[in-house]
Amino acid sequence: MSLEERIAALEADLDQAGLGGLGHHLEALEAKRALFHPEALAYLERARGEWGMGQVEQVRNSLREVVDAYRRLHFGCP
């Protein structure tokens, strides 16, 4: 699955996924970490730390930032 497809899958699942589901998305995105802009990578790393502490809402918020940073870089969306 391409990075764009992974981001789209994350975005579709973000509000419904529990901590385990978010962890699955983190694993999949981290496998493609070389493709991330530093801004998105920083949010991804923050999400990993929050996931390790069981902070599901904070993980969701950080992953939203990953999606937003990806969209800004690749599509010029605000």
Side-chain angles (χ1 to χ4, degrees), residues 34-54:
L35 303 174
F36 277 102
H37 182 273
E39 179 188 4
L41 188 55
Y43 287 121
L44 184 62
E45 290 172 358
R46 186 172 78 188
R48 172 55 77 184
E50 293 162 344
W51 183 86
M53 293 185 286

Side-chain angles (χ1 to χ4, degrees), residues 45-78:
E45 290 172 358
R46 186 172 78 188
R48 172 55 77 184
E50 293 162 344
W51 183 86
M53 293 185 286
Q55 299 173 326
V56 71
E57 269 319 300
Q58 289 88 338
V59 174
R60 280 193 184 112
N61 290 338
S62 292
L63 289 175
R64 280 189 184 91
E65 294 291 349
V66 169
V67 170
D68 290 346
Y70 175 83
R71 298 243 182 261
R72 280 192 304 276
L73 178 67
H74 292 281
F75 302 109
C77 299

Side-chain angles (χ1 to χ4, degrees), residues 25-42:
H25 284 297
L26 277 168
E27 294 288 326
L29 292 173
E30 286 181 346
K32 300 198 176 281
R33 68 184 294 119
L35 303 174
F36 277 102
H37 182 273
E39 179 188 4
L41 188 55

